[in-house]
């Protein structure tokens, strides 16, 4: 469940890096030094084959030539009296060293840190590019599954190591906005279901200050204390803009989502940082998310598995006692329409087409996003891991950024071995490798 103030603080952190935005690109300063990341495309017949991908930081995290505006409002009128002048005045520079943005890769491993060694907050967010580095990799997951390894051991209460999908344009908006010269290569075109106002939309000055929206699938929002899986469908495909009530709770996107959190469905001993939990977050583990369909190709459910110590761990089953409609689903450990009808706070999810609508977006293709962040708005990530919301064991104060610095001087997450393909093809089962062995 992504609450408005939480993404507010994350996006604001990006602007602490640059406080500006841009459309043109400073080509005379060399190429963008995109970090390389090996991923795997899988089939049941052939196993998993390595692929070469690259990562790009959001356009707002790039160096810029001047202040053209910050998050939460339209571009500044000085450099941006109109979209054409804005494009000419606001110039984005390439990133030469991604480690200064808290991002490093090694083969199929991605390491992201919240703080630089000097203590500066970076809150990195990066998108997966195709090998050509000109387009985003568009994952089509309806009827398929997605798997990754993760190390959450350095993410205490209040942190969020997130892996999610947004229905951005494949080229970052170049094909729909002729003024956009940056494109996916420089991280343009971000959107999500929260419909926040950005100074640029699809890489062009957002002169009317409209909200920027698109379908969002939160596969993984988590720290070592709690985790949440949450789809957020919208009324329209791809990136679109909203204004007024269209951007609000009863607007064109589902801001809360239908979420599945093991703690919240009655399993406080399922996920946590020791061997007493079924999923031990003090050590690396594998996360498998499946998107099964019916005979007509429509998405029917969101299913989760974990793999650790060579064994498959089934997702936590519903185990509540204070919600009779939800209690009736005790034999269920996945999210579907029946679950979303009774889990609470899901009115907009259902009104906007629910699982079917989300499946249509996943079938069209969505961009894979990795991020790590904390909440500076005062909410302390309680929506995801807090006692106050029955979402986890964290008290109201321990997730504050100040406390995080005390208990973990280097809050960071490692994502690795990212794989997608046919259901059953991406993870180890009964000790057998699900990926193709390289020849000696």
């Amino acid at each position: 469940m992504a609450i408005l103030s939480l993404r507010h603080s994350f996006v604001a952190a990006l602007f602490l890096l640059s406080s500006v935005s841009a459309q043109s690109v400073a080509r005379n300063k060399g190429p963008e030094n995109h970090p390389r990341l090996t991923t795997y495309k899988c089939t049941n017949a052939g196993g998993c084959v390595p692929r070469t991908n690259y990562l790009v930081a959001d356009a707002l995290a790039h160096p810029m030539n001047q202040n053209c505006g910050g998050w939460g409002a339209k571009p500044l009128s000085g450099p941006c009296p109109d979209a054409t002048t804005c494009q000419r005045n606001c110039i984005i520079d390439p990133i030469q060293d991604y480690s200064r943005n808290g991002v490093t890769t090694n083969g199929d491993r991605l390491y992201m840190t919240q703080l630089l060694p000097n203590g500066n907050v970076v809150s990195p967010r990066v998108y997966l590019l195709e090998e050509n580095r000109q387009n985003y990799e568009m994952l089509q997951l309806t009827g398929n599954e997605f798997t990754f390894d993760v190390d959450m051991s350095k993410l205490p209460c209040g942190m969020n190591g997130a892996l999610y999908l947004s229905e951005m344009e494949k080229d970052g908006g170049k094909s729909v906005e002729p003024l956009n010269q940056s494109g996916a290569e420089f991280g343009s075109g971000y959107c999500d279901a929260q419909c926040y106002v950005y100074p640029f939309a699809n890489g062009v000055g957002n002169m009317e200050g409209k909200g920027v929206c698109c379908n969002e699938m939160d596969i993984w929002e988590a720290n070592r204390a709690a985790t949440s899986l949450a789809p957020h469908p919208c009324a329209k495909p791809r990136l679109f803009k909203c204004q007024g009530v269209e951007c609000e709770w009863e607007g064109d996107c589902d801001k809360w989502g239908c979420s599945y959190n093991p703690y919240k469905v009655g399993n406080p001993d399922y996920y946590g940082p020791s061997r007493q939990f079924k999923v031990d977050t003090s050590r690396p583990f594998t996360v498998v998310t499946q998107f099964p369909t019916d005979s007509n190709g429509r998405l029917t459910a969101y299913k989760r598995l974990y793999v650790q110590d060579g064994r498959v761990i089934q997702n936590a089953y519903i185990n509540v006692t204070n919600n009779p409609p939800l209690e009736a689903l005790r034999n269920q450990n996945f999210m579907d329409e029946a679950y979303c009808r009774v889990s609470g706070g899901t009115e907009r999810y259902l009104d906007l087409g629910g699982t079917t609508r989300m499946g249509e977006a996943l079938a069209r293709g969505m961009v894979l996003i990795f991020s790590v962040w904390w909440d500076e708005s005062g909410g302390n990530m309680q929506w995801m891991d807090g006692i106050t919301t029955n979402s986890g064991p964290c008290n109201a104060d321990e997730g504050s950024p100040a406390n995080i610095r005390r208990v973990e001087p280097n809050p960071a997450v490692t994502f690795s071995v990212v794989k997608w393909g046919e259901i059953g093809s991406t993870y180890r089962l009964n000790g057998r490798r699900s990926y193709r062995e390289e020849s000696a």
Side-chain angles (χ1 to χ4, degrees):
M1 186 193 317
I3 306 300
L4 284 171
S5 62
L6 307 180
R7 286 284 173 82
H8 281 192
S9 64
F10 172 59
V11 176
L14 290 176
F15 280 92
L16 291 176
L17 296 175
S18 62
S19 298
V20 292
S21 299
Q23 302 314 303
S24 300
V25 176
R27 297 289 180 180
N28 62 336
K29 295 189 177 182
E32 177 95 356
N33 189 21
H34 298 108
R36 177 174 173 170
L37 183 69
T38 299
T39 64
Y40 302 87
K41 188 68 178 295
C42 308
T43 63
N44 286 310
C48 294
V49 179
R51 301 162 49 92
T52 298
N53 287 99
Y54 290 89
L55 299 169
V56 62
D58 187 272
L60 301 181
H62 282 69
M64 311 289 179
N65 70 318
Q66 65 174 309
N67 185 356
C68 294
W71 169 86
K74 63 184 180 181
L76 295 177
S77 59
C80 296
D82 56 75
T84 300
T85 306
C86 195
Q87 181 272 332
R88 184 174 62 249
N89 288 340
C90 301
I91 302 172
I92 188 170
D93 287 343
I95 296 176
Q96 301 293 338
D97 183 0
Y98 264 77
S99 67
R100 295 182 180 180
N101 288 61
V103 176
T104 56
T105 61
N106 183 5
D108 61 9
R109 299 174 65 83
L110 165 62
Y111 176 80
M112 306 179 74
T113 182
Q114 173 75 2
L115 302 172
L116 296 181
N118 62 10
N120 287 346
V121 178
V122 283
S123 295
R125 182 174 70 197
V126 293
Y127 314 137
L128 190 68
L129 291 168
E130 290 182 343
E131 186 173 6
N132 65 15
R133 311 190 204 190
Q134 300 299 307
N135 294 312
Y136 295 124
E137 182 77 56
M138 304 300 289
L139 274 64
Q140 296 172 300
L141 294 182
T142 298
N144 294 306
E145 72 183 15
F146 181 89
T147 296
F148 61 95
D149 290 357
V150 67
D151 185 346
M152 309 296 293
S153 61
K154 289 183 173 293
L155 293 185
C157 291
M159 289 300 304
N160 190 339
L163 183 155
Y164 64 107
L165 301 161
S166 285
E167 198 182 359
M168 300 156 63
E169 297 289 347
K170 180 182 179 70
D171 61 1
K174 273 189 167 183
S175 61
V176 296
E177 296 288 357
L179 288 176
N180 181 350
Q181 295 182 12
S182 54
E185 180 186 6
F186 289 87
S188 77
Y190 181 74
C191 55
D192 62 32
Q194 303 310 313
C195 297
Y196 298 129
V197 176
Y198 298 99
F200 291 86
N202 259 338
V204 173
N206 184 8
M207 308 312 297
E208 296 177 315
K210 292 184 176 181
V212 182
C213 313
C214 67
N215 289 287
E216 173 187 349
M217 177 69 227
D218 294 336
I219 292 178
W220 184 253
E221 291 195 281
N223 54 39
R224 65 193 184 205
T227 182
S228 175
L229 165 71
H232 301 264
C234 294
K236 303 173 185 178
R238 301 186 299 279
L239 185 151
F240 63 95
K241 291 185 281 189
C242 67
Q243 61 183 347
V245 295
E246 298 170 341
C247 308
E248 297 173 3
W249 169 260
E250 295 186 355
D252 289 341
C253 286
D254 169 29
K255 299 182 185 304
W256 276 25
C258 179
S259 65
Y260 202 99
N261 175 328
Y263 191 102
K264 200 161 192 173
V265 296
N267 298 275
D269 59 350
Y270 180 81
Y271 178 99
S274 77
R275 292 181 182 271
Q276 76 182 46
F277 295 93
K278 290 186 178 179
V279 178
D280 177 7
T281 62
S282 68
R283 301 177 294 123
F285 53 92
T286 300
V287 182
V288 183
T289 310
Q290 299 174 331
F291 301 89
T293 59
D294 61 18
S295 59
N296 294 314
R298 289 189 294 260
L299 181 68
T300 59
Y302 312 87
K303 297 188 175 183
R304 169 61 52 80
L305 298 167
Y306 297 91
V307 183
Q308 192 172 44
D309 297 331
R311 63 189 181 93
V312 175
I313 305 169
Q314 297 297 319
N315 198 23
Y317 281 82
I318 296 168
N319 186 35
V320 299
T321 57
N322 57 351
N323 183 334
L326 191 56
E327 188 176 354
L329 301 178
R330 273 181 170 270
N331 294 324
Q332 183 167 316
N333 68 344
F334 56 88
M335 188 162 54
D336 61 0
E337 288 290 292
Y339 169 85
C340 292
R341 281 195 292 271
V342 298
S343 62
T346 57
E347 296 87 353
R348 292 306 293 153
Y349 177 82
L350 298 168
D351 290 345
L352 288 167
T355 308
T356 297
R357 181 66 58 82
M358 194 74 245
E360 291 169 353
L362 288 164
R364 285 190 296 267
M366 301 178 74
V367 177
L368 180 61
I369 302 168
F370 305 89
S371 70
V372 64
W373 58 289
W374 62 29
D375 178 14
E376 298 198 23
S377 72
N380 298 343
M381 214 69 72
Q382 282 284 293
W383 65 271
M384 188 184 78
D385 63 20
I387 291 175
T388 61
T389 59
N390 191 36
S391 299
C394 306
N395 67 41
D397 300 319
E398 64 184 310
S400 69
N403 189 65
I404 292 170
R405 285 181 183 267
R406 285 193 291 268
V407 301
E408 177 53 69
N410 183 30
V413 63
T414 299
F415 295 108
S416 59
V417 199
V418 174
K419 299 177 283 187
W420 65 93
E422 296 174 327
I423 290 178
S425 69
T426 68
Y427 65 97
R428 298 184 186 212
L429 186 61
N430 298 326
R432 298 176 60 189
R433 289 186 184 274
S434 65
Y435 53 88
R436 181 175 296 167
E437 295 282 357
E438 297 293 326
S439 58

